[in-house]
Amino acid sequence: GNYRESRYFASWKHLNAIEEHCLSERLAKITHQTIVPFGHGAVRFKDTVIGSETCEELWTPKSPYVEQALSGVEITGNGSASHHQLRKPDLRV
């Protein structure tokens, strides 16, 4: 898979942890912020909690959405552009 390419990607090993990363001067000027949170987290609204995961994480044995759901996340987004279907791995192209 794309995300198993260790030259370009490293798995995030810090469950439920957020790190702050500094934005470049150019991005800071556009976004009006100097840092951005990165990691496993969720956004709490008045009436729901939303989390997210990457495409490849859907297929891992310990997918983030399981821990998110157990922690109160009600909606998990997966920005997958995959041809796979959840619970139907035998129908993969």
Side-chain angles (χ1 to χ4, degrees), residues 1-6 9 56 84:
N2 299 352
Y3 303 106
R4 293 188 193 106
E5 176 52 74
S6 60
F9 298 98
E56 189 82 359
H84 304 295

Side-chain angles (χ1 to χ4, degrees), residues 3 9-10 14 17 21 30 34 36 38 45-47 60 70-73 77-78 82 84 87-89 91-92:
Y3 303 106
F9 298 98
H14 314 287
H21 291 267
I30 294 168
T34 57
V36 63
F38 184 86
F45 294 93
K46 187 178 359 177
D47 57 354
T60 60
L70 293 173
S71 298
V73 171
N78 183 307
S82 175
H84 304 295
R87 295 185 190 87
K88 295 187 180 183
L91 296 178
R92 292 182 182 183

Side-chain angles (χ1 to χ4, degrees), residues 41-58:
V43 179
R44 181 176 301 278
F45 294 93
K46 187 178 359 177
D47 57 354
T48 195
V49 181
I50 298 175
S52 66
E53 64 182 8
T54 64
C55 171
E56 189 82 359
E57 290 174 323
L58 179 64

